[in-house]
Amino acid sequence: MDTDNPAPDLARDPARAPLRTPSGDLPRQLARTQRFSLGVPRSFTLSPDGGRLLFLRTRGGEDRTSCLWLLADGEERLLADPDALGAAPGEVPEAELVRRERTRERSGGIVAYATDAAARTVVFALDGALWTVRTDGGAARPVATAGPVVDPRPDPAGRRVAYVTQGALRVADLDGGADLLLAAPETGDVTYGLAEHVAAEEMHRYRGHWWSPDGAAVLTARVDTARVRRWWISDPADPAKPPRAVPYPTAGTANADVSLHLLGLDGTRTEVRWDRAAYEYLTSADWDAHGPLLAVQSRDQRTVRVLAADPGSGGTRLLHEQRDPAWVQLIPGTPARTGSGALVHTADTGGSRRLTVGGEPVTPDGLHVREVLGAAGESVLFTACDEPTEEHLWSYDRERGPVRLSSGPGVHTGLRAGGTLLLDSRTERGHRTTLLRDGGQQTAVGCLAAEPVLTPRVTWLRAGEREIRTALLLPSWYEPGGGPLPVLVASYGGPAMRLVTRGGGWSMYEAQWFAEEGFAVVVADGRGTPARGPAWEKTVRGDSLSAPIEDQVTALRAAAEHCPDLDLGRVGIRGWSYGGTLATAAVIRRPEVFHAAVSGAAPSDQRLYDTHWRERFLGHPDEEPAAYDRSSPIGEAADLRRPLLLVHGMADDNVVVAHTLRMSAALLAAHRPHQVLPLSNVTHSPTDETVVEGLLRHQVNFLRAALNVPERTPV
């Protein structure tokens, strides 16, 4: 039998169409490649002259050890290989493990690094030990420290390194001199130099200390979690292992007390002063040539203030204030300043999120800024969207105005320095990173990612009057008119993430695998998702489920109109995190549309999620309780009439497993049948090979049984 051209009788019954072996291997490949992230270059640093590029990359598509690389004079060189350093495994601080989880780090080895201003001296932590290496020669060498190291950062001159150990901020001489204690925690609830939970998880602020340009002082965040509610995270599969306490500020409860301090190497200490009662969130901080710069936000998130701090007195002055009746969206990389001191920010005006320089909008209507990547001189590099399935790299300066630097459908970002542009592009054809130098010279950065065993077959649609961006994926063996196809809606569908992009990515490969298993797969980015403008994002204020569910129904019907073979009598929906909440609510509220659901790591009761994320969309639970009720499926558990599979990692410290356990208890009390799949020792994003592969296969088996889809026979 020609498996690429099924016999006519099998083609009439998609459930019995032959399963090609390579497609069946995808779950294992997704697990071994960590969703195709291994072997992909990342974490780029360009030297000021543009002549040298530093980056991280594993040595292959299934290798989990991340190494430090240097590209110079057209040649790649391995600067630091963890396996070759001969370092004895040490204690990885819990703060470092938390940082990796917050940044969704999927590899081991060297997972982060930092450089001096010239990008000559590099420092990194490896298994809790501090290492340094220079780009102009010599091997990596260890640096003695007072304890296990988190987030080491060299001073601009590359002579010293600031690091955090056991909650204290210290500075060590890289030449083996003194190790200076800058700030020690006054109690066990205090840390210096690290970001608190909501800053790292929700504000794009992963750092807690910043060097002054002259290397004489460090701007440092002090975090006191004494008043923050504790979650206790345990591993029920190992009853001998004690639970660990996690400071987790749930909606409506107290946040960490965060302050900023200017710590001089000469022992001086000055607090940066602002109205911390009115503006308790520190959303951004930096120290550039013009002095310390910070942004603070009110608890209701409707006001953000940009402040300049005096390094001598700690006093602050207002540079800019932004207000919004829903919430002020935080844009990564803002605020910043140009060489002349002009403030770089964004403003939601005319239906667009526009780049502002010196208070003036400089980008056109219809172009939505996503991230500011940096300002060099009077030029600003940023990413923006005028089509939500794409994201492009842009540059602005006063002379030329906004100029797009990337081309072709995809998701593009990059860096620029000294006449060299780094263009990092994700497209449907894969990941490509290129150095473009003045004069036209191009150098490719090697991508060692594994070649996927299947190719997504995407039909791009615009559904309904709102033109909801929708992807329809059909089996490779499907022929029009070949018989009814059961449908799987596989969207995220909420704030913070788009899935329907021309940037490829693991989710499309996963969707195609479900298609090869006999489903038509529909993925849609409805209201609330990013990159379609402020009004689109803020539709979900006060109700994070109703509009997104409506948009999923619209996308499903548009896909069926495009392909009449879609069987709307057998429709499943699956999702993870917010997508899991969406799936649960959809199958409860619209059982005539959705006939089964898989809900993974889903917040079922929004009152159990963190302050900054939940209050952004739903307000304070004491002031707007109805918004939490509308957005929490747990209150509708008695209405379930369709099969539902709940999946959750037992060690999840982002969306704690209590969400699923309480949802299951509510369903049980209402006598509503359902299934629960607990994942032992798994956090919010599974990485273990056995779990990743087994979970995908379990889901497809559940959906087959729930939707009466016969299992297909491999050939």
Side-chain angles (χ1 to χ4, degrees):
M1 178 186 297
D2 183 353
T3 59
D4 289 332
N5 296 282
D9 60 325
L10 292 179
R12 300 297 298 177
D13 184 358
R16 295 177 58 226
L19 174 62
R20 296 185 301 170
T21 302
S23 301
D25 289 341
L26 185 81
R28 183 174 296 109
Q29 190 182 41
L30 281 171
R32 290 180 175 177
T33 65
Q34 293 295 285
R35 296 174 171 173
F36 301 112
S37 65
L38 303 178
V40 177
R42 62 182 181 86
S43 301
F44 302 104
T45 301
L46 266 175
S47 62
D49 62 3
R52 288 167 285 114
L53 176 70
L54 288 156
F55 61 96
L56 298 178
R57 187 184 61 202
T58 66
R59 291 160 297 196
E62 295 188 6
D63 176 43
R64 290 201 181 194
T65 302
S66 187
C67 302
L68 178 65
W69 301 80
L70 172 68
L71 176 60
D73 300 322
E75 299 290 334
E76 289 185 6
R77 178 161 64 92
L78 184 57
L79 265 190
D81 177 356
D83 292 341
L85 292 180
E91 173 193 358
V92 180
E94 182 175 317
E96 171 62 14
L97 297 175
V98 170
R99 188 198 66 78
R100 294 183 190 181
E101 176 66 16
R102 296 286 174 264
T103 56
R104 310 295 186 256
E105 177 58 55
R106 293 183 173 274
S107 63
I110 303 170
V111 298
Y113 69 95
T115 77
D116 62 357
R120 289 289 185 190
T121 298
V122 188
V123 299
F124 56 89
L126 181 61
D127 293 332
L130 176 61
W131 290 77
T132 185
V133 65
R134 288 187 58 83
T135 61
D136 52 5
R141 60 180 179 84
V143 178
T145 59
V149 171
V150 180
D151 197 18
R153 295 186 177 271
D155 69 1
R159 294 190 297 266
R160 306 179 182 91
V161 58
Y163 67 94
V164 179
T165 183
Q166 299 169 340
L169 183 68
R170 305 185 69 98
V171 172
D173 264 339
L174 285 174
D175 290 333
D179 189 308
L180 177 66
L181 175 64
L182 280 190
E186 295 83 358
T187 70
D189 298 315
V190 173
T191 60
Y192 282 91
L194 298 176
E196 74 277 17
H197 172 92
V198 294
E201 192 68 47
E202 321 297 6
M203 302 180 197
H204 321 291
R205 181 172 68 77
Y206 305 106
R207 296 180 55 183
H209 62 279
W210 303 263
W211 279 99
S212 63
D214 63 2
V218 183
L219 179 64
T220 306
R222 178 186 184 273
V223 175
D224 186 348
T225 61
R227 63 189 187 187
V228 179
R229 174 178 291 177
R230 261 52 177 179
W231 286 147
W232 294 90
I233 309 297
S234 62
D235 180 8
D238 184 0
K241 186 177 180 179
R244 61 187 179 93
V246 176
Y248 191 100
T250 52
T253 67
N255 280 305
D257 179 20
V258 180
S259 55
L260 268 181
H261 302 264
L262 298 151
L263 305 179
L265 270 59
D266 60 0
T268 58
R269 175 170 175 156
T270 304
E271 182 174 352
V272 177
R273 300 188 305 278
W274 74 91
D275 186 348
R276 292 198 289 119
Y279 300 93
E280 62 183 88
Y281 291 126
L282 174 68
T283 63
S284 174
D286 197 8
W287 197 334
D288 61 17
H290 307 283
L293 180 70
L294 57 146
V296 296
Q297 187 178 43
S298 57
R299 175 70 182 252
D300 65 11
Q301 301 188 47
R302 290 170 173 158
T303 306
V304 169
R305 287 187 163 188
V306 179
L307 307 173
D310 184 308
S313 67
T316 56
R317 59 186 176 89
L318 180 65
L319 297 181
H320 178 71
E321 183 173 274
Q322 191 173 3
R323 294 179 178 269
D324 190 279
W327 71 80
V328 175
Q329 186 71 25
L330 302 177
I331 304 302
T334 65
R337 286 185 283 208
T338 68
S340 66
L343 186 67
V344 178
H345 213 279
T346 62
D348 292 352
T349 61
S352 303
R353 181 155 294 134
R354 302 174 69 182
L355 182 73
T356 62
V357 179
E360 296 297 323
V362 298
T363 50
D365 286 338
L367 184 66
H368 308 298
V369 175
R370 296 280 294 144
E371 181 175 5
V372 171
L373 300 166
E378 301 308 303
S379 178
V380 180
L381 195 67
F382 62 100
T383 58
C385 301
D386 53 11
E387 159 54 45
T389 61
E390 301 180 19
E391 190 166 320
H392 286 278
L393 184 64
W394 290 75
S395 176
Y396 167 81
D397 60 58
R398 188 179 298 275
E399 181 178 341
R400 297 185 301 166
V403 177
R404 199 172 92 171
L405 303 178
S406 56
S407 61
V411 175
H412 308 270
T413 186
L415 296 173
R416 185 172 55 188
T420 299
L421 175 71
L422 171 78
L423 182 59
D424 190 51
S425 302
R426 291 186 290 115
T427 71
E428 293 176 84
R429 296 186 299 275
H431 196 119
R432 184 178 68 254
T433 306
T434 310
L435 283 177
L436 306 169
R437 293 186 170 85
D438 290 349
Q441 180 185 358
Q442 297 188 18
T443 305
V445 181
C447 181
L448 308 180
E451 184 71 22
V453 296
L454 53 70
T455 301
R457 302 173 69 252
V458 184
T459 299
W460 303 96
L461 303 173
R462 298 188 180 193
E465 295 180 353
R466 295 185 178 89
E467 297 190 335
I468 298 162
R469 300 311 193 264
T470 303
L472 171 63
L473 297 95
L474 300 171
S476 60
W477 41 262
Y478 165 76
E479 295 179 1
L485 281 171
V487 186
L488 175 61
V489 175
S491 300
Y492 180 80
M497 187 187 301
R498 295 169 292 159
L499 293 184
V500 186
T501 76
R502 300 292 183 121
W506 65 268
S507 63
M508 286 299 177
Y509 292 102
E510 190 175 87
Q512 187 64 45
W513 178 76
F514 277 99
E516 299 302 324
E517 293 290 318
F519 296 85
V521 181
V522 177
V523 189
D525 286 344
R527 282 169 287 177
T529 55
R532 285 200 66 172
W536 182 270
E537 293 174 356
K538 294 172 183 177
T539 305
V540 297
R541 177 63 174 85
D543 183 348
S544 62
L545 288 173
S546 296
I549 292 173
E550 179 185 340
D551 290 347
Q552 296 301 311
V553 175
T554 299
L556 172 64
R557 290 172 176 166
E561 183 177 344
H562 175 81
C563 180
D565 287 335
L566 269 61
D567 184 354
L568 296 188
R570 291 184 295 170
V571 178
I573 182 170
R574 67 182 287 264
W576 197 265
S577 197
Y578 171 84
T581 305
L582 181 69
T584 301
V587 81
I588 290 175
R589 295 184 185 181
R590 301 298 301 272
E592 80 285 4
V593 176
F594 302 103
H595 307 105
V598 176
S599 173
S604 61
D605 183 350
Q606 306 302 340
R607 293 172 177 84
L608 293 179
Y609 205 66
D610 74 48
T611 52
H612 196 269
W613 188 251
R614 278 282 60 92
E615 292 174 18
R616 179 186 309 176
F617 307 109
L618 303 179
H620 195 288
D622 294 343
E623 299 168 1
E624 302 183 60
Y628 284 78
D629 294 337
R630 285 190 294 268
S631 305
S632 298
I634 194 169
E636 304 169 62
D639 295 330
L640 179 69
R641 297 293 182 273
R642 300 291 192 182
L644 171 63
L645 170 64
L646 302 172
V647 184
H648 217 119
M650 300 296 284
D652 195 337
D653 61 0
N654 180 12
V655 181
V656 293
V657 71
H659 284 276
T660 286
L661 297 178
R662 292 186 184 186
M663 184 69 189
S664 177
L667 291 166
L668 190 65
H671 311 295
R672 307 318 307 164
H674 63 286
Q675 296 184 28
V676 178
L677 177 63
L679 305 176
S680 297
N681 201 30
V682 169
T683 57
H684 192 57
S685 300
T687 59
D688 179 82
E689 290 184 16
T690 302
V691 173
V692 172
E693 179 182 0
L695 180 56
L696 277 174
R697 298 192 186 280
H698 187 88
Q699 289 178 74
V700 80
N701 290 334
F702 168 83
L703 290 166
R704 281 202 184 103
L707 300 175
N708 193 25
V709 179
E711 184 174 356
R712 297 169 53 239
T713 304
V715 296

